[in-house]
Every structure is written in structure tokens, then in C-alpha cells.
Amino acid sequence: MNGINYKMGLLTDEQRAEVVIGNVKHKTIPQIVYKYREFDNFTEAIFRDNELFFSKPSNFNDPFDCRITDKGNYSSQEIIDYFVGCGMPRHDAVTVALQNAADPNKTVSALEKIRTEVMDSNGILCLSECPDSILMWSYYSRSHSGFVLGFDVLEDPPFFIMPLPIRYVRDYPAFRYMVEKEKFITHGMISKSEFWDHEREIRICKREGPGPYKFSKKCLTEIVFGCKTNDADRDKLIKYLKDYGYNHVKLKRTVPARTSYTLEIQDLTVF
């Protein structure tokens, strides 16, 4: 599946980092990935604390994200084994199986709740392969007035565990969730509607849960300002870079092309 090793939970941290490095070298994921941002009350904290926030999937702006079609048709034993595996006492799992035989909709509702809990136990950071998407600048960087952070994956491989290149498809991924739970990541978490394919998204999944995670300052290698970023916001961010130890970061800006509906990225010289 996209060349990514999804059994990374069985590896040591060092081995998982090596897998990330291998994915970059084999071009499964790009070396430079980008995070679109707007200026807000959390902007300074990104640089001061060298942290990015990983969200739970239920907070995503796309209500169709991480949805699946459960093909179902479970036997009573499969239902019992699944719920016992989730920590339910066996006698309660047997009750669920009996209820399913009488009314399968009850099992569907219980399973939907568990799937949501499983999904939200992961922290997700949404990144992109491209810094020049007009649409992404429009919705994630407040109409081109924000900025984009460029990260070099090879400068901090542990931060980029586990990388998930997104597949853009027409239909929800379909599988039997109770007996194919691993497909929740290999299919469910990496599938989005084909309407979003312009985002060229790379997700970083932290199984430790949602929240802030620290990145190495050296992996932040560039800042791209939007074509409508005002001077005051730009100068404030540049001051953050100087104050918090990011003097190595390259500064760039987007400029509307003269003859086409595209953005050009230019080096920014600050005097």
C-alpha cells in the first residue's frame, strides 16, 4: 500500500525512524513537506516551543474523512472475539452477539462508537507535498494572508513517524472492520474523496494520541509568505525566527504569475 510499512508499531523507535528515511530515499514520501497556516494566537508558540498540534480525526473539517463501509456479515464468534479484544467482559460480548442475531443494527451502532474512539485515539498532522496550491492558500492560510512552513523530513525522522500518503478515491474503503482492524489505517485513514486530490496530502499519525509534539528546530527549513501577507505579520514572524533560534530558515514568498492562474515562489530578501 503506497510502499509504506504499516506494521511500524512492532518496531523500535530507531527502526521506525529508519523506515521513514527509507521512504524518503525511495520517494514514497517527499523529503520536504509543507504545513499551511494562518496568523493567530498560536503562531508564536510554534516557534517558541518548536511544537505542532496533532488533531483527532473527528475534528477534521471534512465530515467524510476517515469514513469506511463496514462489509459486516459477522459470525457470533467473530463478534465475541472482537469485543473481548476491546476489553469487554466475555459475558457482555456474548450478550452483544445474541443481540446482533436478533437486531444487527444494535451491533452496528456499538461498532460505530468504538471505531470513532479508536480513530480519535490517534493524533494526526496534515501536511502537503506542495507549497503553491491556490486553493490551500485560500482555505488554510486565510485567503493567502498567512504562511507555509517547510520541513525537511530527513532532519528529524522521529517526528515524521508514521507518514501516510493519502489516496483520493470515489467511494469509502470497504472491509470487514472487526476482523481486519489493521485496514483502518491502511485503508480508512489514508482515503479521502477525489475532490481533495489537489491537496497532495501527507498525514503524520501519532498513536500516542492528539496533542502538541515537538519537532527539531533544524527540520524547519523554509517559510513561504502568502501574496497577501501584510508587512506587520511578516516582520513579526521573522522576529520569532531570530528570537527563537531559526536563523537557518530560508524566507520565500508567493507571487501571482503574470499570464496564468498559478503562483510563483520567489526568494525573499529582508533588509
Side-chain angles (χ1 to χ4, degrees):
M1 187 66 59
N2 291 325
I4 296 291
N5 182 347
Y6 291 101
K7 296 183 179 179
M8 294 178 72
L10 303 176
L11 306 179
T12 66
D13 288 346
E14 184 176 339
Q15 289 171 328
R16 294 164 78 197
E18 288 297 323
V19 171
V20 173
I21 294 169
N23 286 327
V24 172
K25 290 182 177 179
H26 290 94
K27 302 186 184 303
T28 304
I29 61 171
Q31 182 173 344
I32 307 298
V33 289
Y34 299 93
K35 178 65 178 176
Y36 287 77
R37 290 282 309 183
E38 61 181 72
F39 287 94
D40 57 23
N41 294 333
F42 303 102
T43 300
E44 182 177 5
I46 294 173
F47 305 98
R48 183 190 65 228
D49 303 328
N50 50 296
E51 289 181 343
L52 289 175
F53 190 84
F54 285 63
S55 299
K56 59 183 180 180
S58 63
N59 285 342
F60 290 170
N61 63 341
D62 178 8
F64 298 97
D65 213 332
C66 295
R67 298 290 295 269
I68 71 168
T69 296
D70 191 341
K71 296 171 74 172
N73 195 29
Y74 299 109
S75 69
S76 294
Q77 190 60 53
E78 286 173 334
I79 293 171
I80 293 169
D81 290 344
Y82 173 79
F83 282 102
V84 168
C86 291
M88 181 181 289
R90 185 171 183 82
H91 66 273
D92 290 342
V94 171
T95 299
V96 172
L98 292 173
Q99 289 175 339
N100 179 71
D103 182 3
N105 288 330
K106 287 189 177 181
T107 304
V108 170
S109 298
L111 193 56
E112 179 64 31
K113 181 180 179 181
I114 290 176
R115 278 205 305 265
T116 300
E117 291 174 352
V118 170
M119 177 177 66
D120 280 351
S121 68
N122 296 276
I124 304 292
L125 178 67
C126 300
L127 303 168
S128 175
E129 296 184 32
C130 58
D132 56 358
S133 166
I134 290 176
L135 290 177
M136 293 184 74
W137 275 103
S138 297
Y139 10 92
Y140 300 128
S141 293
R142 194 170 289 185
S143 301
H144 297 252
S145 67
F147 59 97
V148 165
L149 303 160
F151 294 95
D152 186 331
V153 174
L154 294 183
E155 291 291 346
D156 189 8
F159 180 78
F160 296 97
I161 297 169
M162 153 182 20
L164 306 171
I166 295 300
R167 288 188 313 186
Y168 298 98
V169 294
R170 179 182 176 86
D171 301 313
Y172 298 152
F175 54 94
R176 299 179 72 232
Y177 176 75
M178 285 190 184
V179 295
E180 298 178 298
K181 288 186 291 185
E182 74 285 353
K183 289 188 177 180
F184 193 71
I185 290 179
T186 62
H187 292 63
M189 276 197 175
I190 68 166
S191 298
K192 288 182 72 171
S193 166
E194 59 193 0
F195 292 111
W196 296 96
D197 63 355
H198 60 276
E199 293 191 341
R200 293 164 60 189
E201 185 178 341
I202 303 287
R203 287 182 174 167
I204 310 301
C205 175
K206 299 293 188 186
R207 290 181 171 174
E208 297 82 358
Y213 287 82
K214 285 191 176 293
F215 58 85
S216 169
K217 290 183 179 181
K218 64 182 180 181
C219 82
L220 178 61
T221 56
E222 63 184 83
I223 301 285
V224 185
F225 293 104
C227 58
K228 293 171 65 178
T229 303
N230 64 54
D231 291 346
D233 283 337
R234 182 199 65 191
D235 292 345
K236 189 182 294 184
L237 194 154
I238 291 173
K239 185 175 185 302
Y240 296 154
L241 295 176
K242 293 179 179 178
D243 289 347
Y244 299 121
Y246 298 88
N247 292 325
H248 62 284
V249 171
K250 295 179 180 179
L251 301 178
K252 302 180 181 182
R253 64 174 182 175
T254 61
V255 177
R258 295 184 62 186
T259 60
S260 63
Y261 295 111
T262 57
L263 290 171
E264 297 177 355
I265 295 181
Q266 302 177 348
D267 292 334
L268 177 63
T269 302
V270 180
F271 299 98

